[in-house]
């Protein structure tokens, strides 16, 4: 798939590191849409279809979070340095560097939604709207849901996953193949996967530092530093109008998403019936319609 060329791209200084960004469209009289990709430790590539939301007066901003993609890589960094606060500081640097901190909308997908929610509970004055796509409100809820979804996998797939997790050999091809069975049910149900998704997954494989440190070896085996993360009790602090998105076959099951809809006062929850974790790829036409309606309704 060919998407619009960026109208601007470059780097934002974040302390001694640099974050790469691209802007599609022109920043005008409508709040730009800033996209936060998943992972942690993924790249912007699989969210490139969101460039189609750029239009008169509205730009779309993508960036690679620190640790992967075109941004600074730190494979030798202390594991304890990869914190939620580090990525919040990076987001602040991006908003300030692009001079949009007084007027913007956040779109966060998966981990990006967790990060966007962490940003939103601080009630930043310039946040006009929030889109939380396929994100859990708690990693305990996420892990409980993953256990239920794993239990529905073929017995031989379950056995392979358990065997390698117990042995610490999750880098073996058998584990990767078993993992992909889960992913094709609950991450992206398209066959084949689009090039932009394959590009993001290849980037994680090439440098899994952040993903393995904060998440773990797989979406459903969370043993990293985020394993006890939760924002459930802080959600009532979010004041921005919020669109919550999930897929019917999503690894972010209704139980993991529901706290957003229940605890954010001004929120709307839309479920995409033919999607798993990536409605922007799996149901692009409906996804664009739903998101554009939300963006057009912001004041």
């Amino acid at each position: 798939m060919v998407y619009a060329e960026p109208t601007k791209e470059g780097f934002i200084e974040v302390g001694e590191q640099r974050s790469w960004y691209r802007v599609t469209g022109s920043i005008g009289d409508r709040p730009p849409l800033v996209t936060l990709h998943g992972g942690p430790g993924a790249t912007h590539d699989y969210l490139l279809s969101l460039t189609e939301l750029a239009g008169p007066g509205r730009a779309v901003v993508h960036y690679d979070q620190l640790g992967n993609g075109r941004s600074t890589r730190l494979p030798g960094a202390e594991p304890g340095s990869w914190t939620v606060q580090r990525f919040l500081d990076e987001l602040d640097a991006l908003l300030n560097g692009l001079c949009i901190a007084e007027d913007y909308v956040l779109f966060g997908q998966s981990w990006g939604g967790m990060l966007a929610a962490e940003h939103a509970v601080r009630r930043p004055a310039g946040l006009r709207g929030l889109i939380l796509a396929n994100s859990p409100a708690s990693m305990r809820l996420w892990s409980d849901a993953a256990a239920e979804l794993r239990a529905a996998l073929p017995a031989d797939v379950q056995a392979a996953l358990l065997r390698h997790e117990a042995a610490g050999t999750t880098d073996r091809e058998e584990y990767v193949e078993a993992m992909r069975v889960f992913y094709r049910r609950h991450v992206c149900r398209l066959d084949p996967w689009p090039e932009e998704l394959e590009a993001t997954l290849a980037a994680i494989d090439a440098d899994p530092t952040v993903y393995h440190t904060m998440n773990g070896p797989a979406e459903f085996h969370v043993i990293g530093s985020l394993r006890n993360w939760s924002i459930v009790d802080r959600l009532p602090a979010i004041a921005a109008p919020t669109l919550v998105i999930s897929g019917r076959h999503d690894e972010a099951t209704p139980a993991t998403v529901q706290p957003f809809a229940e605890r954010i006062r001004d929120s709307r929850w839309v479920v995409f019936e033919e999607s798993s974790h990536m409605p922007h790829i799996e149901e692009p036409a409906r996804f664009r319609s739903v998101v554009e309606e939300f963006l057009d309704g912001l004041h």
Side-chain angles (χ1 to χ4, degrees), residues 202-248:
I204 297 175
D205 288 344
D207 189 348
T209 302
V210 182
Y211 187 74
H212 284 179
T213 299
M214 297 183 73
N215 184 83
E219 294 287 277
F220 48 76
H221 189 44
V222 182
I223 56 175
S225 60
L226 283 176
R227 63 188 178 278
N228 295 317
W229 176 88
S230 176
I231 201 169
V232 171
D233 292 340
R234 293 175 285 148
L235 290 174
I238 295 179
T242 301
L243 172 63
V244 180
I245 288 172
S246 65
R248 179 61 62 194

Side-chain angles (χ1 to χ4, degrees), residues 107-261:
F107 174 95
Q109 198 276 336
S110 197
W111 146 255
M114 297 158 61
L115 182 60
E118 287 276 5
H119 178 86
V121 296
R122 302 182 300 170
R123 295 197 174 188
L127 181 61
R128 302 291 175 243
L130 181 66
I131 305 173
L132 304 175
N134 320 100
S135 303
S138 156
M139 290 309 286
R140 185 175 299 278
L141 292 174
W142 175 274
S143 294
D144 289 347
E148 293 182 9
L149 296 176
R150 281 179 61 151
L153 295 175
D156 60 330
V157 173
Q158 294 185 55
L161 293 173
L162 290 170
R163 183 167 59 252
H164 287 288
E165 288 166 2
T169 53
T170 54
D171 58 340
R172 300 289 177 82
E173 184 63 27
E174 184 184 35
Y175 185 84
V176 173
E177 288 302 314
M179 179 180 71
R180 290 240 169 177
V181 175
F182 180 97
Y183 283 22
R184 292 191 181 280
R185 289 188 179 193
H186 303 296
V187 177
C188 182
R189 294 165 71 85
L190 296 185
D191 186 18
W193 284 345
E195 291 180 5
E196 59 266 34
L197 175 56
E198 292 283 12
T200 285
L201 295 175
I204 297 175
D205 288 344
D207 189 348
T209 302
V210 182
Y211 187 74
H212 284 179
T213 299
M214 297 183 73
N215 184 83
E219 294 287 277
F220 48 76
H221 189 44
V222 182
I223 56 175
S225 60
L226 283 176
R227 63 188 178 278
N228 295 317
W229 176 88
S230 176
I231 201 169
V232 171
D233 292 340
R234 293 175 285 148
L235 290 174
I238 295 179
T242 301
L243 172 63
V244 180
I245 288 172
S246 65
R248 179 61 62 194
H249 309 283
D250 207 330
E251 58 181 338
T253 64
T256 71
V257 172
Q258 191 167 0
F260 291 128

Side-chain angles (χ1 to χ4, degrees), residues 44-66:
H44 78 286
D45 301 86
Y46 78 102
L47 293 178
L48 277 172
S49 63
L50 271 69
T51 56
E52 296 175 352
L53 294 168
R58 179 170 63 222
V60 175
V61 179
H62 288 80
Y63 72 106
D64 286 335
Q65 295 163 23
L66 289 169

Side-chain angles (χ1 to χ4, degrees), residues 37-102:
H37 64 67
T43 61
H44 78 286
D45 301 86
Y46 78 102
L47 293 178
L48 277 172
S49 63
L50 271 69
T51 56
E52 296 175 352
L53 294 168
R58 179 170 63 222
V60 175
V61 179
H62 288 80
Y63 72 106
D64 286 335
Q65 295 163 23
L66 289 169
N68 217 326
R70 301 186 190 182
S71 296
T72 301
R73 310 274 192 89
L74 296 162
E78 287 293 323
S81 69
W82 296 111
T83 63
V84 172
Q85 188 60 51
R86 180 176 205 161
F87 292 103
L88 287 171
D89 292 343
E90 178 187 26
L91 177 56
D92 285 342
L94 177 77
L95 297 173
N96 290 319
L98 294 178
C99 300
I100 58 175
E102 300 306 315

Side-chain angles (χ1 to χ4, degrees), residues 20-36:
W20 175 87
Y21 71 88
R22 59 169 279 164
V23 179
T24 305
S26 300
I27 296 175
D29 58 357
R30 306 179 72 187
L33 181 67
V34 180
T35 67
L36 283 61

